[in-house]
Amino acid sequence: MKQKMIVFDIGGSSSRIALFEGQDIVWRDQVVTPSQAGPEAMVTCMLELYAPVASQTGTIGVAITGHIVNGTVTAHNSAILPGWKQFPLQAELSRRMQRPVRIFNDARAAAWGEYVYGTGQGCDDFLFLTVSTGVGAGLVLQRRLHIASNGFDAEIGEMRLADGNTLEQLASGTALGEFARLHGYTDARDFCAAADQGVAIPADIYQQGISALAAKLADLAVMLGVQRVAVGGSVGLRPGYLQHLRNEIQRYPAIYQLELLPAALRHDAGLIGVADLIRKT
Ligand code: BMX
């Protein structure tokens, strides 16, 4: 009989749930993340998503945006998840759902999904990068998902730029959305579209984010031996984004080059990664 599992993927913008039977997703649902409403509202939202499958057996797995240590969640970026400071999500869900719950960072889970079933297949040292509400990543080093005991296992968005800001403050969808509104655009989407057509202000900031990201990826190529990067997330998967990033990387000498490819599993990478991590560990 196929093993059942219920998996959540809670990102800064969308929250997904899936019921797995073996490797197959047999049911799924999705809502907008109540990101601004605090941890209690998130738990309520997760319980509502879970209600239709509550009678199913199996472990519960969660991928969530944020810094994960011992089942607690802290937002580095409190603009994405205000009010999250060492919130004991694992214990809280386990108590409310009456069964074991395992929690992973969303980008780390997606990295594992992409490594096993997607763009990372066959590559020993691999990075998954998401440019979305935040900028996150997951690292597979020598065929293992890198998980550090302090939770800093690939927080690429927190890496510092020369001006003292973080990469995420410049390159994330949230940052682009803020610039967009300052310059009379509705959101990051139409801002980026204007940048692609060469409109001066959006093009400048959009391009600065991409070059900062390329510089960090080049460093990871020489520092950790990362050979391939799968790029995902709502900004990262925009048409043209990957090519801009490739153009930036190509400015560096040969030792900094890495292969940049689109994430194959798109928005399911986190769900699939969590299911596989629970099956194997
Ligand atoms: C942020 C950080 C990461 C996360 C990344 C992508 C928070 C709340 N999250 O850098 O832990 O992996 O965003 O998250 O500080 P997403 O919401 O864009 O999927």
Side-chain angles (χ1 to χ4, degrees):
M1 206 170 94
K2 287 182 174 176
Q3 186 186 357
K4 286 191 179 178
M5 208 178 295
I6 296 163
V7 180
F8 292 87
D9 186 358
I10 311 294
S13 302
S14 299
S15 292
R16 300 180 166 81
I17 183 171
L19 174 65
F20 281 81
E21 281 182 13
Q23 296 181 6
D24 303 323
I25 294 180
V26 296
W27 172 87
R28 61 163 73 223
D29 200 1
Q30 174 174 342
V31 292
V32 172
T33 302
S35 58
Q36 301 302 301
E40 298 299 342
M42 186 82 86
V43 170
T44 305
C45 166
M46 292 175 79
L47 288 167
E48 283 168 12
L49 278 170
Y50 167 74
V53 282
S55 60
Q56 301 284 339
T57 53
T59 310
I60 311 260
V62 179
I64 184 165
T65 181
H67 185 74
I68 315 294
V69 182
N70 295 330
T72 68
V73 183
T74 299
H76 297 299
N77 189 336
S78 55
I80 299 180
L81 289 183
W84 287 72
K85 201 166 175 203
Q86 293 177 344
F87 181 75
L89 185 66
Q90 185 165 3
E92 190 55 20
L93 290 177
S94 191
R95 185 178 72 76
R96 307 276 289 268
M97 295 172 176
Q98 290 293 299
R99 42 173 138 174
V101 174
R102 295 192 51 197
I103 301 207
F104 304 88
N105 166 275
D106 60 346
R108 259 61 104 205
W112 187 249
E114 286 289 342
Y115 170 67
V116 178
Y117 298 104
T119 299
Q121 286 178 86
C123 179
D124 293 350
D125 300 291
F126 164 72
L127 185 91
F128 166 79
L129 169 76
T130 168
V131 186
S132 188
T133 317
V135 177
L139 251 182
V140 174
L141 292 176
Q142 289 294 291
R143 301 178 291 281
R144 284 169 184 248
L145 181 66
H146 177 55
I147 300 281
S149 38
N150 65 4
F152 285 105
D153 15 55
E155 284 295 17
I156 195 168
E158 296 306 308
M159 290 176 93
R160 295 267 156 200
L161 307 178
D163 64 5
N165 285 324
T166 64
L167 183 60
E168 188 162 88
Q169 284 170 322
L170 179 65
S172 64
T174 307
L176 291 171
E178 278 162 17
F179 290 123
R181 284 181 285 279
L182 275 177
H183 294 284
Y185 293 84
T186 332
D187 54 24
R189 201 162 306 180
D190 60 342
F191 187 76
C192 292
D196 279 340
Q197 278 157 29
V199 176
I201 289 169
D204 192 42
I205 289 156
Y206 183 64
Q207 199 56 43
Q208 277 177 34
I210 292 174
S211 0
L213 194 49
K216 296 300 178 200
L217 294 180
D219 284 347
L220 295 179
V222 288
M223 169 109 176
L224 298 172
V226 171
Q227 300 143 5
R228 187 183 303 161
V229 180
V231 182
S234 51
V235 177
L237 289 170
R238 291 189 68 254
Y241 191 89
L242 195 59
Q243 195 51 47
H244 284 302
L245 198 55
R246 284 189 184 127
N247 295 346
E248 286 300 314
I249 286 276
Q250 277 161 13
R251 294 173 190 271
Y252 292 97
I255 58 166
Y256 300 96
Q257 298 302 315
L258 30 74
E259 199 181 4
L260 288 166
L261 295 170
L265 307 180
R266 301 188 70 87
H267 299 298
D268 282 347
L271 294 170
I272 291 172
V274 169
D276 197 74
L277 282 165
I278 292 180
R279 273 196 295 273
K280 290 182 177 159
T281 54

mmCIF file with all atom_site columns, all heavy atoms in Angstrom, residues 3 19 26-27 29 44 79 82 123 130 148 162 186 253:
data_model
loop_
_atom_site.group_PDB
_atom_site.id
_atom_site.type_symbol
_atom_site.label_atom_id
_atom_site.label_alt_id
_atom_site.label_comp_id
_atom_site.label_asym_id
_atom_site.label_entity_id
_atom_site.label_seq_id
_atom_site.pdbx_PDB_ins_code
_atom_site.Cartn_x
_atom_site.Cartn_y
_atom_site.Cartn_z
_atom_site.occupancy
_atom_site.B_iso_or_equiv
_atom_site.pdbx_formal_charge
_atom_site.auth_seq_id
_atom_site.auth_comp_id
_atom_site.auth_asym_id
_atom_site.auth_atom_id
_atom_site.pdbx_PDB_model_num
ATOM 1   N N   . GLN A 1 3   ? 2.358  4.798  0.848   1.00 0.00 ? 3   GLN A N   1
ATOM 2   C CA  . GLN A 1 3   ? 2.421  5.599  2.082   1.00 0.00 ? 3   GLN A CA  1
ATOM 3   C C   . GLN A 1 3   ? 1.712  6.944  1.872   1.00 0.00 ? 3   GLN A C   1
ATOM 4   O O   . GLN A 1 3   ? 1.925  7.611  0.857   1.00 0.00 ? 3   GLN A O   1
ATOM 5   C CB  . GLN A 1 3   ? 3.896  5.848  2.414   1.00 0.00 ? 3   GLN A CB  1
ATOM 6   C CG  . GLN A 1 3   ? 4.126  6.535  3.728   1.00 0.00 ? 3   GLN A CG  1
ATOM 7   C CD  . GLN A 1 3   ? 5.611  6.877  3.933   1.00 0.00 ? 3   GLN A CD  1
ATOM 8   O OE1 . GLN A 1 3   ? 6.461  6.555  3.109   1.00 0.00 ? 3   GLN A OE1 1
ATOM 9   N NE2 . GLN A 1 3   ? 5.896  7.531  5.048   1.00 0.00 ? 3   GLN A NE2 1
ATOM 10  N N   . LEU A 1 19  ? -2.048 16.128 -0.548  1.00 0.00 ? 19  LEU A N   1
ATOM 11  C CA  . LEU A 1 19  ? -2.082 14.768 0.002   1.00 0.00 ? 19  LEU A CA  1
ATOM 12  C C   . LEU A 1 19  ? -1.310 13.880 -0.963  1.00 0.00 ? 19  LEU A C   1
ATOM 13  O O   . LEU A 1 19  ? -1.639 13.819 -2.155  1.00 0.00 ? 19  LEU A O   1
ATOM 14  C CB  . LEU A 1 19  ? -3.535 14.297 0.138   1.00 0.00 ? 19  LEU A CB  1
ATOM 15  C CG  . LEU A 1 19  ? -3.719 12.839 0.555   1.00 0.00 ? 19  LEU A CG  1
ATOM 16  C CD1 . LEU A 1 19  ? -3.185 12.574 1.971   1.00 0.00 ? 19  LEU A CD1 1
ATOM 17  C CD2 . LEU A 1 19  ? -5.191 12.433 0.473   1.00 0.00 ? 19  LEU A CD2 1
ATOM 18  N N   . VAL A 1 26  ? -2.487 13.319 -4.785  1.00 0.00 ? 26  VAL A N   1
ATOM 19  C CA  . VAL A 1 26  ? -3.833 12.870 -5.164  1.00 0.00 ? 26  VAL A CA  1
ATOM 20  C C   . VAL A 1 26  ? -4.890 13.931 -4.833  1.00 0.00 ? 26  VAL A C   1
ATOM 21  O O   . VAL A 1 26  ? -6.043 13.800 -5.236  1.00 0.00 ? 26  VAL A O   1
ATOM 22  C CB  . VAL A 1 26  ? -4.188 11.517 -4.497  1.00 0.00 ? 26  VAL A CB  1
ATOM 23  C CG1 . VAL A 1 26  ? -3.263 10.417 -5.006  1.00 0.00 ? 26  VAL A CG1 1
ATOM 24  C CG2 . VAL A 1 26  ? -4.103 11.601 -2.972  1.00 0.00 ? 26  VAL A CG2 1
ATOM 25  N N   . TRP A 1 27  ? -4.494 14.944 -4.079  1.00 0.00 ? 27  TRP A N   1
ATOM 26  C CA  . TRP A 1 27  ? -5.431 16.027 -3.752  1.00 0.00 ? 27  TRP A CA  1
ATOM 27  C C   . TRP A 1 27  ? -4.594 17.241 -3.378  1.00 0.00 ? 27  TRP A C   1
ATOM 28  O O   . TRP A 1 27  ? -3.511 17.098 -2.812  1.00 0.00 ? 27  TRP A O   1
ATOM 29  C CB  . TRP A 1 27  ? -6.318 15.610 -2.564  1.00 0.00 ? 27  TRP A CB  1
ATOM 30  C CG  . TRP A 1 27  ? -7.175 16.723 -2.023  1.00 0.00 ? 27  TRP A CG  1
ATOM 31  C CD1 . TRP A 1 27  ? -8.415 17.073 -2.465  1.00 0.00 ? 27  TRP A CD1 1
ATOM 32  C CD2 . TRP A 1 27  ? -6.860 17.617 -0.943  1.00 0.00 ? 27  TRP A CD2 1
ATOM 33  N NE1 . TRP A 1 27  ? -8.888 18.141 -1.729  1.00 0.00 ? 27  TRP A NE1 1
ATOM 34  C CE2 . TRP A 1 27  ? -7.959 18.497 -0.792  1.00 0.00 ? 27  TRP A CE2 1
ATOM 35  C CE3 . TRP A 1 27  ? -5.754 17.774 -0.104  1.00 0.00 ? 27  TRP A CE3 1
ATOM 36  C CZ2 . TRP A 1 27  ? -7.989 19.511 0.170   1.00 0.00 ? 27  TRP A CZ2 1
ATOM 37  C CZ3 . TRP A 1 27  ? -5.770 18.781 0.849   1.00 0.00 ? 27  TRP A CZ3 1
ATOM 38  C CH2 . TRP A 1 27  ? -6.891 19.634 0.987   1.00 0.00 ? 27  TRP A CH2 1
ATOM 39  N N   . ASP A 1 29  ? -4.811 21.802 -2.458  1.00 0.00 ? 29  ASP A N   1
ATOM 40  C CA  . ASP A 1 29  ? -5.565 23.037 -2.310  1.00 0.00 ? 29  ASP A CA  1
ATOM 41  C C   . ASP A 1 29  ? -4.551 24.170 -2.111  1.00 0.00 ? 29  ASP A C   1
ATOM 42  O O   . ASP A 1 29  ? -3.371 23.908 -1.808  1.00 0.00 ? 29  ASP A O   1
ATOM 43  C CB  . ASP A 1 29  ? -6.521 22.937 -1.111  1.00 0.00 ? 29  ASP A CB  1
ATOM 44  C CG  . ASP A 1 29  ? -7.649 23.963 -1.188  1.00 0.00 ? 29  ASP A CG  1
ATOM 45  O OD1 . ASP A 1 29  ? -7.712 24.742 -2.158  1.00 0.00 ? 29  ASP A OD1 1
ATOM 46  O OD2 . ASP A 1 29  ? -8.473 23.986 -0.247  1.00 0.00 ? 29  ASP A OD2 1
ATOM 47  N N   . THR A 1 44  ? -4.410 28.879 12.169  1.00 0.00 ? 44  THR A N   1
ATOM 48  C CA  . THR A 1 44  ? -5.834 28.728 11.851  1.00 0.00 ? 44  THR A CA  1
ATOM 49  C C   . THR A 1 44  ? -6.005 28.436 10.358  1.00 0.00 ? 44  THR A C   1
ATOM 50  O O   . THR A 1 44  ? -6.761 27.542 9.963   1.00 0.00 ? 44  THR A O   1
ATOM 51  C CB  . THR A 1 44  ? -6.597 30.024 12.223  1.00 0.00 ? 44  THR A CB  1
ATOM 52  O OG1 . THR A 1 44  ? -6.332 30.293 13.591  1.00 0.00 ? 44  THR A OG1 1
ATOM 53  C CG2 . THR A 1 44  ? -8.076 29.917 11.977  1.00 0.00 ? 44  THR A CG2 1
ATOM 54  N N   . ALA A 1 79  ? 9.104  41.971 7.261   1.00 0.00 ? 79  ALA A N   1
ATOM 55  C CA  . ALA A 1 79  ? 8.099  42.527 6.342   1.00 0.00 ? 79  ALA A CA  1
ATOM 56  C C   . ALA A 1 79  ? 7.304  41.386 5.721   1.00 0.00 ? 79  ALA A C   1
ATOM 57  O O   . ALA A 1 79  ? 6.118  41.530 5.415   1.00 0.00 ? 79  ALA A O   1
ATOM 58  C CB  . ALA A 1 79  ? 8.775  43.347 5.255   1.00 0.00 ? 79  ALA A CB  1
ATOM 59  N N   . PRO A 1 82  ? 5.410  39.429 9.686   1.00 0.00 ? 82  PRO A N   1
ATOM 60  C CA  . PRO A 1 82  ? 5.532  40.175 10.939  1.00 0.00 ? 82  PRO A CA  1
ATOM 61  C C   . PRO A 1 82  ? 5.062  39.341 12.134  1.00 0.00 ? 82  PRO A C   1
ATOM 62  O O   . PRO A 1 82  ? 4.112  38.569 12.015  1.00 0.00 ? 82  PRO A O   1
ATOM 63  C CB  . PRO A 1 82  ? 4.629  41.399 10.724  1.00 0.00 ? 82  PRO A CB  1
ATOM 64  C CG  . PRO A 1 82  ? 3.864  41.151 9.487   1.00 0.00 ? 82  PRO A CG  1
ATOM 65  C CD  . PRO A 1 82  ? 4.495  40.037 8.726   1.00 0.00 ? 82  PRO A CD  1
ATOM 66  N N   . CYS A 1 123 ? 23.567 16.077 -10.314 1.00 0.00 ? 123 CYS A N   1
ATOM 67  C CA  . CYS A 1 123 ? 24.581 17.098 -10.015 1.00 0.00 ? 123 CYS A CA  1
ATOM 68  C C   . CYS A 1 123 ? 24.933 17.001 -8.525  1.00 0.00 ? 123 CYS A C   1
ATOM 69  O O   . CYS A 1 123 ? 24.077 17.187 -7.672  1.00 0.00 ? 123 CYS A O   1
ATOM 70  C CB  . CYS A 1 123 ? 23.982 18.464 -10.350 1.00 0.00 ? 123 CYS A CB  1
ATOM 71  S SG  . CYS A 1 123 ? 25.090 19.812 -10.021 1.00 0.00 ? 123 CYS A SG  1
ATOM 72  N N   . THR A 1 130 ? 15.386 30.716 -5.028  1.00 0.00 ? 130 THR A N   1
ATOM 73  C CA  . THR A 1 130 ? 14.066 31.276 -5.309  1.00 0.00 ? 130 THR A CA  1
ATOM 74  C C   . THR A 1 130 ? 14.101 32.791 -5.163  1.00 0.00 ? 130 THR A C   1
ATOM 75  O O   . THR A 1 130 ? 14.576 33.318 -4.153  1.00 0.00 ? 130 THR A O   1
ATOM 76  C CB  . THR A 1 130 ? 12.956 30.656 -4.420  1.00 0.00 ? 130 THR A CB  1
ATOM 77  O OG1 . THR A 1 130 ? 11.762 31.438 -4.561  1.00 0.00 ? 130 THR A OG1 1
ATOM 78  C CG2 . THR A 1 130 ? 13.318 30.600 -2.953  1.00 0.00 ? 130 THR A CG2 1
ATOM 79  N N   . ALA A 1 148 ? 22.193 23.030 8.702   1.00 0.00 ? 148 ALA A N   1
ATOM 80  C CA  . ALA A 1 148 ? 23.062 23.423 9.816   1.00 0.00 ? 148 ALA A CA  1
ATOM 81  C C   . ALA A 1 148 ? 22.240 23.453 11.101  1.00 0.00 ? 148 ALA A C   1
ATOM 82  O O   . ALA A 1 148 ? 21.048 23.771 11.066  1.00 0.00 ? 148 ALA A O   1
ATOM 83  C CB  . ALA A 1 148 ? 23.648 24.808 9.542   1.00 0.00 ? 148 ALA A CB  1
ATOM 84  N N   . ALA A 1 162 ? 27.754 45.477 -0.566  1.00 0.00 ? 162 ALA A N   1
ATOM 85  C CA  . ALA A 1 162 ? 28.767 46.472 -0.178  1.00 0.00 ? 162 ALA A CA  1
ATOM 86  C C   . ALA A 1 162 ? 28.136 47.667 0.528   1.00 0.00 ? 162 ALA A C   1
ATOM 87  O O   . ALA A 1 162 ? 28.758 48.288 1.389   1.00 0.00 ? 162 ALA A O   1
ATOM 88  C CB  . ALA A 1 162 ? 29.525 46.925 -1.413  1.00 0.00 ? 162 ALA A CB  1
ATOM 89  N N   . THR A 1 186 ? 1.916  49.569 -10.350 1.00 0.00 ? 186 THR A N   1
ATOM 90  C CA  . THR A 1 186 ? 1.003  48.893 -9.425  1.00 0.00 ? 186 THR A CA  1
ATOM 91  C C   . THR A 1 186 ? 1.741  47.873 -8.570  1.00 0.00 ? 186 THR A C   1
ATOM 92  O O   . THR A 1 186 ? 1.549  47.785 -7.367  1.00 0.00 ? 186 THR A O   1
ATOM 93  C CB  . THR A 1 186 ? -0.093 48.121 -10.216 1.00 0.00 ? 186 THR A CB  1
ATOM 94  O OG1 . THR A 1 186 ? -0.298 48.776 -11.438 1.00 0.00 ? 186 THR A OG1 1
ATOM 95  C CG2 . THR A 1 186 ? -1.356 47.931 -9.427  1.00 0.00 ? 186 THR A CG2 1
ATOM 96  N N   . PRO A 1 253 ? 35.367 35.501 -14.689 1.00 0.00 ? 253 PRO A N   1
ATOM 97  C CA  . PRO A 1 253 ? 36.284 34.499 -15.257 1.00 0.00 ? 253 PRO A CA  1
ATOM 98  C C   . PRO A 1 253 ? 35.747 33.073 -15.118 1.00 0.00 ? 253 PRO A C   1
ATOM 99  O O   . PRO A 1 253 ? 34.813 32.824 -14.346 1.00 0.00 ? 253 PRO A O   1
ATOM 100 C CB  . PRO A 1 253 ? 37.557 34.676 -14.423 1.00 0.00 ? 253 PRO A CB  1
ATOM 101 C CG  . PRO A 1 253 ? 37.461 36.031 -13.827 1.00 0.00 ? 253 PRO A CG  1
ATOM 102 C CD  . PRO A 1 253 ? 36.008 36.325 -13.655 1.00 0.00 ? 253 PRO A CD  1
#
